[in-house]
């Protein structure tokens, strides 16, 4: 047996305390290091919180200079636990920044009226406005609770922060560094606010100019279109007047001369059969002269007056150089609507061509022109009591379309105009006993109206 104690003494291992040296580099064995660590840690915490407040304030740049100034003043007041904080800008510097000064009191509220704040605060604000050096208290006791940090931009002073802390809160070098950082960032942020505001104004101005240019361009395009249409109408008018003069000076004169010679020959012939044939030739010549005069009148007429609607144009057409033996009636049904000029002109030309065919080929004594307005379409019909056959007209139209030869161009033109309007052209037996020409055109061809 050995002299060892039985049972053996039990040893316990206590958990090790956190080593301060491992956490902050200070030796925990010397008591004076720990208070120093606590002071440094508290200072670091305040700096971190201050930088967080500065960052939160600077992101207000997009909201404008007013929101930014309020945010940085609040950040300075919170960091220093200040009783009074004043921010002011030098007169003439950063002219777009607002407000020009901001004072925050012990209650955390803004004091917009400088006459109600303490004299020392008001004097410092005036000094900053006038770009004068800080003339505040310089005794060590007061300086530890008073801080004036200038706001610099591009090497010049553009403003300043002024703060007063309570008795229990002294200002140290860390606080000055934090306020200098805040002042420098505030100057850059205010300049960015001014640039952002200027860019926004330039963008708005450019947008308004672009809209104005678009309107002017649309007006220019519309004017060019109107000028082109006017030029086309002018060219057409000149050509129509030239053709009308040619018809009047040559063809009509020849037809009149032919009629006069027929009358001379008829007066010298006694054969009744030959005289009857000459009477027919004379009548055909007279009709040819009437149609020539009607064509000359139509060629000399402009495409209707600006204030003349389609019903008025049709009534005028019915009384223009129609043969004496052909009586034309115009009937209007429904509520008339305004149509584009080209639409009215096309319908007018279709009605004129149909009446011309009735007068020349149908051997009719009566014709009725109907114009009916409905909610979905417009219907134009020209009916007569002549000898025309719908089947023959349709065959002539198909033959003329299949093999263009110059004949029946009037029928082809009527069909083309109807298709251009998005409508249809049909031929059927009229109730009067002769031929009926019918055109159906959809209402969407009407122009938009700006009703009050």
């Amino acid at each position: 047996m050995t002299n060892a104690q039985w049972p053996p003494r039990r040893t316990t291992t206590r958990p090790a305390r956190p080593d301060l040296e491992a956490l902050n580099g200070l030796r925990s064995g010397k008591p004076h290091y720990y208070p120093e660590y606590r002071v440094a840690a508290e200072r670091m915490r305040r700096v971190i919180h201050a930088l967080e407040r500065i960052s939160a304030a600077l992101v207000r740049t997009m909201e404008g200079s007013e929101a930014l100034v309020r945010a940085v003043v609040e950040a300075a007041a919170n960091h220093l636990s200040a009783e009074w904080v004043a921010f002011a800008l030098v007169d003439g510097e950063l002219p777009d920044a607002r407000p020009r000064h901001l004072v925050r009191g012990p209650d955390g509220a803004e004091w917009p009226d400088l006459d109600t704040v303490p004299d020392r605060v008001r004097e410092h604000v005036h000094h900053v406005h006038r770009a004068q050096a800080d003339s505040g208290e310089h005794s060590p006791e007061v300086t530890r609770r008073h801080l004036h940090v200038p706001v610099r931009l591009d090497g010049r002073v553009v403003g300043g922060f002024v703060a007063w802390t309570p008795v229990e809160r002294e200002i140290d070098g860390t606080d000055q560094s934090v306020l200098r950082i805040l002042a420098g960032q505030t100057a850059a942020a205010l300049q960015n606010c001014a640039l952002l505001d200027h860019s926004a104004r330039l963008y708005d101005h450019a947008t308004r100019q672009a809209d104005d240019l678009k309107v002017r361009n649309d007006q220019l395009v519309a004017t060019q279109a109107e000028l082109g249409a006017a030029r086309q109408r002018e060219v057409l008018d000149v050509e129509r007047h030239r053709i009308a003069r040619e018809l009047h000076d040559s063809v009509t004169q020849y037809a009149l001369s032919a009629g006069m010679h027929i009358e001379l020959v008829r007066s010298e012939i006694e054969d009744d059969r030959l005289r009857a044939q000459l009477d027919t030739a004379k009548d055909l010549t007279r009709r040819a002269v009437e149609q020539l005069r009607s064509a000359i009148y139509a060629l000399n007429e402009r495409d209707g007056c600006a204030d003349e609607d389609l019903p008025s144009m049709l009534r005028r057409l019915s009384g223009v150089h129609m043969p004496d033996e052909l009586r034309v009636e115009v009937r209007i049904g429904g509520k008339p609507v305004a149509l584009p000029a080209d639409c009215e002109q096309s319908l007018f030309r279709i009605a004129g061509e149909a009446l011309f065919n009735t007068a020349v080929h149908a051997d009719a004594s009566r014709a009725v022109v109907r114009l009916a307005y409905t909610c979905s379409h417009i219907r134009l019909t020209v009916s007569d009591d002549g000898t025309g056959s719908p089947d023959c007209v349709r065959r002539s139209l198909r033959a003329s379309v299949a093999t263009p030869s110059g004949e029946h161009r009037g029928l082809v033109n009527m069909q083309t105009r109807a298709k251009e309007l998005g409508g249809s052209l049909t031929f059927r037996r009229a109730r009067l006993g002769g031929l009926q020409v019918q055109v159906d055109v959809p209402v969407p061809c009407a122009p938009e109206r700006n009703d009050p």
Side-chain angles (χ1 to χ4, degrees):
M1 291 289 293
T2 62
N3 292 328
Q5 186 176 1
W6 184 264
R9 181 177 295 175
R10 183 176 297 175
T11 60
T12 59
T13 303
R14 294 181 178 180
R17 293 182 178 179
D19 189 353
L20 293 179
E21 183 178 4
L23 294 176
N24 56 21
L26 300 176
R27 293 176 59 86
S28 61
K30 295 183 178 181
H32 69 276
Y33 277 108
Y34 186 68
E36 182 181 349
Y37 163 76
R38 293 181 60 187
V39 172
E42 177 63 21
R43 185 177 300 166
M44 183 64 68
R45 184 188 64 81
R46 292 200 342 251
V47 170
I48 292 174
H49 287 175
L51 293 177
E52 289 178 350
R53 294 189 190 99
I54 292 174
S55 299
L58 294 178
V59 298
R60 307 292 293 274
T61 302
M62 298 294 294
E63 301 178 25
S65 60
E66 186 171 352
L68 174 66
V69 168
R70 286 192 171 90
V72 296
V73 169
E74 183 178 358
N78 291 336
H79 172 67
L80 297 174
S81 302
E83 290 182 340
W84 291 92
V85 175
F87 171 82
L89 293 171
V90 176
D91 293 340
E93 298 289 348
L94 298 174
D96 295 330
R98 293 291 183 275
R100 301 303 295 176
H101 64 263
L102 182 65
V103 177
R104 191 176 189 270
D107 54 356
E110 297 179 8
W111 291 60
D113 188 2
L114 289 179
D115 294 335
T116 60
V117 303
D119 293 341
R120 57 179 180 174
V121 178
R122 181 172 59 255
E123 290 176 359
H124 275 81
V125 171
H126 290 325
H127 290 158
V128 174
H129 282 321
R130 294 190 291 267
Q132 295 176 346
D134 185 4
S135 60
E137 306 88 346
H138 295 291
S139 63
E141 293 78 12
V142 177
T143 303
R144 287 196 297 267
R145 295 190 296 107
H146 167 66
L147 181 62
H148 179 193
V149 178
V151 177
R152 302 180 183 275
L153 181 65
D154 297 333
R156 68 183 190 277
V157 176
V158 299
F161 281 98
V162 188
W164 289 265
T165 60
V167 177
E168 66 276 7
R169 175 67 168 85
E170 293 187 353
I171 299 173
D172 55 22
T174 302
D175 297 328
Q176 295 180 8
S177 298
V178 170
L179 263 294
R180 281 195 294 268
I181 293 174
L182 178 61
Q185 296 299 320
T186 299
L190 285 174
Q191 188 178 43
N192 290 337
C193 282
L195 293 175
L196 181 63
D197 184 63
H198 184 62
S199 299
R201 290 197 300 269
L202 288 178
Y203 178 78
D204 293 340
H205 181 66
T207 301
R208 290 193 298 270
Q209 282 190 329
D211 294 339
D212 183 63
L213 287 175
K214 183 180 182 302
V215 172
R216 293 178 181 272
N217 182 69
D218 293 341
Q219 293 175 347
L220 179 60
V221 171
T223 302
Q224 289 177 337
E226 292 177 359
L227 288 175
R231 178 58 181 167
Q232 291 180 353
R233 288 194 297 269
E234 181 181 1
V235 172
L236 288 175
D237 287 343
V238 171
E239 184 64 16
R240 284 160 47 189
H241 292 323
R242 186 190 65 81
I243 295 174
R245 287 194 302 270
E246 292 293 333
L247 290 176
H248 180 271
D249 296 340
S250 60
V251 180
T252 304
Q253 300 302 321
Y254 294 152
L256 289 174
S257 298
M260 293 173 61
H261 283 81
I262 292 174
E263 181 62 27
L264 289 174
V265 174
R266 178 180 176 279
S267 63
E268 296 180 0
I269 294 178
E270 298 180 356
D271 189 338
D272 292 338
R273 184 178 61 82
L274 293 177
R275 287 174 64 90
Q277 292 179 354
L278 290 174
D279 288 339
T280 302
K282 180 182 177 181
D283 183 63
L284 292 174
T285 303
R286 180 181 61 82
R287 292 196 178 193
V289 171
E290 290 177 350
Q291 293 303 318
L292 283 171
R293 288 176 177 173
S294 178
I296 292 170
Y297 178 86
L299 287 171
N300 282 318
E301 275 288 296
R302 298 185 61 87
D303 290 338
C305 300
D307 57 348
E308 189 177 20
D309 57 4
L310 183 57
S312 299
M313 295 167 64
L314 293 177
R315 293 187 184 98
R316 177 169 54 85
L317 177 66
S318 65
V320 174
H321 291 285
M322 286 294 164
D324 295 335
E325 62 271 19
L326 180 62
R327 182 167 54 91
V328 181
E329 302 175 24
V330 177
R331 301 176 183 177
I332 308 298
K335 182 179 180 180
V337 297
L339 301 175
D342 56 347
C343 180
E344 290 189 339
Q345 286 300 319
S346 294
L347 292 174
F348 174 72
R349 295 303 180 193
I350 292 173
E353 184 66 29
L355 285 176
F356 177 82
N357 291 336
T358 299
V360 175
H361 304 294
D363 193 21
S365 61
R366 182 187 177 196
V368 178
V369 179
R370 289 188 178 90
L371 183 63
Y373 293 91
T374 67
C375 58
S376 60
H377 67 279
I378 299 171
R379 173 169 292 178
L380 171 68
T381 60
V382 179
S383 306
D384 61 56
D385 60 353
T387 60
S389 170
D391 294 335
C392 293
V393 173
R394 284 192 286 267
R395 284 195 298 268
S396 299
L397 178 59
R398 287 195 297 268
S400 181
V401 172
T403 57
S405 60
E407 293 184 303
H408 307 295
R409 288 308 305 172
L411 296 176
V412 176
N413 291 338
M414 292 166 64
Q415 185 181 59
T416 301
R417 292 180 187 275
K419 288 183 178 180
E420 289 176 350
L421 297 177
S424 61
L425 174 70
T426 56
F427 303 95
R428 56 170 54 91
R429 179 66 62 185
R431 294 183 179 179
L432 297 177
L435 179 68
Q436 182 186 79
V437 179
Q438 178 175 306
V439 180
D440 290 294
V441 176
V443 166
C445 67
E448 294 183 0
R449 286 188 175 183
N450 296 324
D451 295 331

